[in-house]
Amino acid sequence: MCGGGGGDDPKEMESKLALAEQAANALQRYGSTFVPLENAYIQDTLNQFGQPAYDRSMAAATTQTAGIYEGGLRDLNRGAFNRGFDPMSGAFQGESNALRSAQARGMGLAGADAGLGNTDAAYQGLANVIKMGQGLQTEAVSGNIERLQSSVDRAGSQAERDFARSSSIQNIAGNAVGMGARYGLGGGG
Amino acid sequence: MLDPSVSNQVQSFYFPNPENDANRGVPQYTGQNYNAYSNINPNKYRGMDKRDNPGDKLYADLIRAQTRDYNARFAPVESFMANEITATGTRSLAGDLSRTRGSVMDQGANVQGMTNRANERFGLAGNSSVGSGQGQVSALVGGLNDTKLRDQDRRTSLLTGSLSGISQKARGVGK
């Protein structure tokens, strides 16, 4: 008979078992160290769909937006009184009400935007979980601070426009240019 | 006087019940205590005859453990994501609309209160209509439209890629 058939089954190479044992050790270590961390991350991501997560991000955005407008309104009042404006005058009331309305809109929409950002972040977190499960690399998740800041940045830009549009404030301050910068409205910082 | 059914619709639109399904709560994760790798014994096949392929057997154990791990911890998350997709957007839309509405309405009332207090400090009547009326409705409509558009974008991302692209990956498993 030729071709060397028959005889005993071939022996598996020693290194194959050694490699499998190495992989088993690595998986054990992964199981004891990283699986609990991954599980905590998955639960944290799901918690982001809960009302407390929305409340935190929305409240922070509206509070910071309120602060952006309050500084400008305080300066409006100070400037008006220094020039002898009567707070009961129609001009002062009209301007103040217009800015307060803008503040209401800015705070409401900044809060809404922060809520939408929270939903986006929750889905992004779950997308990362799926990538983890499929052995794909994870992407950096933008954190709470970054998301909040983008909502507040938008609110700050809107506030700048609201104050810049306000002709009475420009008259009071005597300068039609750079109102936002003067009131410290540069991006909510 | 509004028709009672119309009145109810208006009431539920502007002041939605926080207990309704728009507030669906936190999805429960069932795999949190699962560790598929805790029972792996790296030395299980040591000493076995090499003709019985002990390395292959151990590898097979590892692959089975990884499959169990995937099924227990990650497949439910994939299913959750897939279930989030609706014909027009995602299941988060109802909650997002409710929160957008609440934010615009609440902040309108909040600023109205602030304005009234400021007016009262000047000795003026605290009956300002700031934060309500046309400006508020305009902000509300803009906010609701933005919410719907963001939700449609989210659906597209879930299906096609930047947010996981789950359908392509499901098709790619096993290749």
Side-chain angles (χ1 to χ4, degrees), chain B residues 27 49 52 60 74 83 87 96 98 103-104 109 113 140 146 156 161 170 172:
Chain B
D49 189 335
D52 291 335
F74 298 103
N83 282 329
D96 281 341
S98 171
S103 182
V104 172
L140 183 59
D146 187 43
T156 307

PDB file of all heavy atoms in Angstrom, chain B residues 27 49 52 60 74 83 87 96 98 103-104 109 113 140 146 156 161 170 172:
ATOM      1  N   PRO B  27     -35.022  50.850  31.009  1.00  0.00           N
ATOM      2  CA  PRO B  27     -35.074  49.459  30.543  1.00  0.00           C
ATOM      3  C   PRO B  27     -34.223  48.569  31.450  1.00  0.00           C
ATOM      4  O   PRO B  27     -33.155  48.979  31.904  1.00  0.00           O
ATOM      5  CB  PRO B  27     -34.466  49.536  29.136  1.00  0.00           C
ATOM      6  CG  PRO B  27     -34.501  50.962  28.763  1.00  0.00           C
ATOM      7  CD  PRO B  27     -34.442  51.757  30.019  1.00  0.00           C
ATOM      8  N   ASP B  49      -4.996  12.210  25.734  1.00  0.00           N
ATOM      9  CA  ASP B  49      -4.215  11.724  24.594  1.00  0.00           C
ATOM     10  C   ASP B  49      -4.280  12.752  23.453  1.00  0.00           C
ATOM     11  O   ASP B  49      -5.356  13.239  23.113  1.00  0.00           O
ATOM     12  CB  ASP B  49      -4.811  10.386  24.131  1.00  0.00           C
ATOM     13  CG  ASP B  49      -3.926   9.707  23.088  1.00  0.00           C
ATOM     14  OD1 ASP B  49      -3.169  10.430  22.389  1.00  0.00           O
ATOM     15  OD2 ASP B  49      -3.990   8.475  22.988  1.00  0.00           O
ATOM     16  N   ASP B  52      -6.817  12.596  20.713  1.00  0.00           N
ATOM     17  CA  ASP B  52      -8.205  13.028  20.965  1.00  0.00           C
ATOM     18  C   ASP B  52      -8.372  14.544  20.834  1.00  0.00           C
ATOM     19  O   ASP B  52      -9.425  15.086  21.189  1.00  0.00           O
ATOM     20  CB  ASP B  52      -8.640  12.593  22.368  1.00  0.00           C
ATOM     21  CG  ASP B  52      -8.784  11.084  22.463  1.00  0.00           C
ATOM     22  OD1 ASP B  52      -9.022  10.456  21.412  1.00  0.00           O
ATOM     23  OD2 ASP B  52      -8.618  10.533  23.568  1.00  0.00           O
ATOM     24  N   ALA B  60     -13.065  24.731  21.515  1.00  0.00           N
ATOM     25  CA  ALA B  60     -14.526  24.631  21.343  1.00  0.00           C
ATOM     26  C   ALA B  60     -15.243  25.121  22.596  1.00  0.00           C
ATOM     27  O   ALA B  60     -16.263  25.822  22.521  1.00  0.00           O
ATOM     28  CB  ALA B  60     -14.920  23.188  21.022  1.00  0.00           C
ATOM     29  N   PHE B  74     -25.255  40.681  25.279  1.00  0.00           N
ATOM     30  CA  PHE B  74     -25.292  41.653  24.181  1.00  0.00           C
ATOM     31  C   PHE B  74     -26.508  41.500  23.260  1.00  0.00           C
ATOM     32  O   PHE B  74     -27.039  42.502  22.785  1.00  0.00           O
ATOM     33  CB  PHE B  74     -24.000  41.564  23.359  1.00  0.00           C
ATOM     34  CG  PHE B  74     -22.787  41.902  24.170  1.00  0.00           C
ATOM     35  CD1 PHE B  74     -21.947  40.917  24.649  1.00  0.00           C
ATOM     36  CD2 PHE B  74     -22.509  43.219  24.496  1.00  0.00           C
ATOM     37  CE1 PHE B  74     -20.843  41.233  25.416  1.00  0.00           C
ATOM     38  CE2 PHE B  74     -21.405  43.543  25.273  1.00  0.00           C
ATOM     39  CZ  PHE B  74     -20.572  42.546  25.732  1.00  0.00           C
ATOM     40  N   ASN B  83     -35.935  47.057  18.573  1.00  0.00           N
ATOM     41  CA  ASN B  83     -37.327  47.354  18.927  1.00  0.00           C
ATOM     42  C   ASN B  83     -37.598  48.842  19.076  1.00  0.00           C
ATOM     43  O   ASN B  83     -38.744  49.270  19.113  1.00  0.00           O
ATOM     44  CB  ASN B  83     -37.703  46.651  20.232  1.00  0.00           C
ATOM     45  CG  ASN B  83     -37.975  45.183  20.005  1.00  0.00           C
ATOM     46  OD1 ASN B  83     -38.437  44.791  18.935  1.00  0.00           O
ATOM     47  ND2 ASN B  83     -37.676  44.363  20.994  1.00  0.00           N
ATOM     48  N   ALA B  87     -41.918  53.020  12.515  1.00  0.00           N
ATOM     49  CA  ALA B  87     -42.081  53.380  11.100  1.00  0.00           C
ATOM     50  C   ALA B  87     -41.625  54.806  10.824  1.00  0.00           C
ATOM     51  O   ALA B  87     -41.179  55.120   9.717  1.00  0.00           O
ATOM     52  CB  ALA B  87     -43.536  53.206  10.702  1.00  0.00           C
ATOM     53  N   ASP B  96     -39.594  62.397  24.228  1.00  0.00           N
ATOM     54  CA  ASP B  96     -38.883  63.621  23.859  1.00  0.00           C
ATOM     55  C   ASP B  96     -39.863  64.768  23.594  1.00  0.00           C
ATOM     56  O   ASP B  96     -39.615  65.904  23.992  1.00  0.00           O
ATOM     57  CB  ASP B  96     -38.024  63.375  22.604  1.00  0.00           C
ATOM     58  CG  ASP B  96     -36.723  62.660  22.929  1.00  0.00           C
ATOM     59  OD1 ASP B  96     -36.318  62.671  24.110  1.00  0.00           O
ATOM     60  OD2 ASP B  96     -36.112  62.077  22.017  1.00  0.00           O
ATOM     61  N   SER B  98     -42.791  65.104  24.879  1.00  0.00           N
ATOM     62  CA  SER B  98     -43.349  65.490  26.171  1.00  0.00           C
ATOM     63  C   SER B  98     -42.364  66.377  26.940  1.00  0.00           C
ATOM     64  O   SER B  98     -42.748  67.388  27.536  1.00  0.00           O
ATOM     65  CB  SER B  98     -43.671  64.220  26.964  1.00  0.00           C
ATOM     66  OG  SER B  98     -44.019  64.532  28.267  1.00  0.00           O
ATOM     67  N   SER B 103     -40.564  71.552  28.886  1.00  0.00           N
ATOM     68  CA  SER B 103     -39.491  72.522  29.095  1.00  0.00           C
ATOM     69  C   SER B 103     -39.935  73.919  28.660  1.00  0.00           C
ATOM     70  O   SER B 103     -39.760  74.893  29.386  1.00  0.00           O
ATOM     71  CB  SER B 103     -38.248  72.085  28.308  1.00  0.00           C
ATOM     72  OG  SER B 103     -37.187  72.962  28.532  1.00  0.00           O
ATOM     73  N   VAL B 104     -40.530  74.015  27.464  1.00  0.00           N
ATOM     74  CA  VAL B 104     -40.934  75.336  26.963  1.00  0.00           C
ATOM     75  C   VAL B 104     -42.031  75.929  27.856  1.00  0.00           C
ATOM     76  O   VAL B 104     -41.968  77.106  28.234  1.00  0.00           O
ATOM     77  CB  VAL B 104     -41.405  75.241  25.495  1.00  0.00           C
ATOM     78  CG1 VAL B 104     -41.999  76.567  25.027  1.00  0.00           C
ATOM     79  CG2 VAL B 104     -40.247  74.842  24.595  1.00  0.00           C
ATOM     80  N   ALA B 109     -43.523  79.784  32.298  1.00  0.00           N
ATOM     81  CA  ALA B 109     -44.123  80.117  33.598  1.00  0.00           C
ATOM     82  C   ALA B 109     -43.060  80.600  34.579  1.00  0.00           C
ATOM     83  O   ALA B 109     -43.287  81.543  35.349  1.00  0.00           O
ATOM     84  CB  ALA B 109     -44.838  78.883  34.151  1.00  0.00           C
ATOM     85  N   GLY B 113     -42.935  84.327  36.308  1.00  0.00           N
ATOM     86  CA  GLY B 113     -42.834  84.563  37.744  1.00  0.00           C
ATOM     87  C   GLY B 113     -41.684  85.501  38.076  1.00  0.00           C
ATOM     88  O   GLY B 113     -41.820  86.418  38.892  1.00  0.00           O
ATOM     89  N   LEU B 140     -42.541  76.781  21.066  1.00  0.00           N
ATOM     90  CA  LEU B 140     -43.027  75.412  21.239  1.00  0.00           C
ATOM     91  C   LEU B 140     -43.067  74.675  19.901  1.00  0.00           C
ATOM     92  O   LEU B 140     -42.592  73.535  19.780  1.00  0.00           O
ATOM     93  CB  LEU B 140     -44.429  75.452  21.868  1.00  0.00           C
ATOM     94  CG  LEU B 140     -45.082  74.116  22.185  1.00  0.00           C
ATOM     95  CD1 LEU B 140     -44.232  73.320  23.158  1.00  0.00           C
ATOM     96  CD2 LEU B 140     -46.474  74.333  22.766  1.00  0.00           C
ATOM     97  N   ASP B 146     -38.195  70.441  15.828  1.00  0.00           N
ATOM     98  CA  ASP B 146     -36.802  70.019  15.971  1.00  0.00           C
ATOM     99  C   ASP B 146     -36.733  68.631  16.607  1.00  0.00           C
ATOM    100  O   ASP B 146     -35.936  67.785  16.196  1.00  0.00           O
ATOM    101  CB  ASP B 146     -36.068  71.044  16.846  1.00  0.00           C
ATOM    102  CG  ASP B 146     -34.591  70.763  16.910  1.00  0.00           C
ATOM    103  OD1 ASP B 146     -34.014  70.460  15.859  1.00  0.00           O
ATOM    104  OD2 ASP B 146     -34.007  70.836  18.015  1.00  0.00           O
ATOM    105  N   THR B 156     -32.607  56.904  11.282  1.00  0.00           N
ATOM    106  CA  THR B 156     -31.707  56.652  10.148  1.00  0.00           C
ATOM    107  C   THR B 156     -30.352  56.161  10.644  1.00  0.00           C
ATOM    108  O   THR B 156     -29.783  55.214  10.095  1.00  0.00           O
ATOM    109  CB  THR B 156     -31.517  57.958   9.341  1.00  0.00           C
ATOM    110  OG1 THR B 156     -32.799  58.453   9.013  1.00  0.00           O
ATOM    111  CG2 THR B 156     -30.717  57.721   8.087  1.00  0.00           C
ATOM    112  N   GLY B 161     -25.980  53.173  10.202  1.00  0.00           N
ATOM    113  CA  GLY B 161     -24.546  53.166  10.479  1.00  0.00           C
ATOM    114  C   GLY B 161     -24.052  53.902  11.686  1.00  0.00           C
ATOM    115  O   GLY B 161     -23.580  53.281  12.613  1.00  0.00           O
ATOM    116  N   ALA B 170     -26.145  42.453  11.820  1.00  0.00           N
ATOM    117  CA  ALA B 170     -26.871  41.195  12.014  1.00  0.00           C
ATOM    118  C   ALA B 170     -26.668  40.295  10.795  1.00  0.00           C
ATOM    119  O   ALA B 170     -26.476  39.091  10.912  1.00  0.00           O
ATOM    120  CB  ALA B 170     -28.351  41.473  12.226  1.00  0.00           C
ATOM    121  N   GLY B 172     -24.074  40.400   8.856  1.00  0.00           N
ATOM    122  CA  GLY B 172     -22.664  40.044   8.739  1.00  0.00           C
ATOM    123  C   GLY B 172     -22.216  38.967   9.710  1.00  0.00           C
ATOM    124  O   GLY B 172     -21.174  38.372   9.525  1.00  0.00           O
TER     125      GLY B 172
END
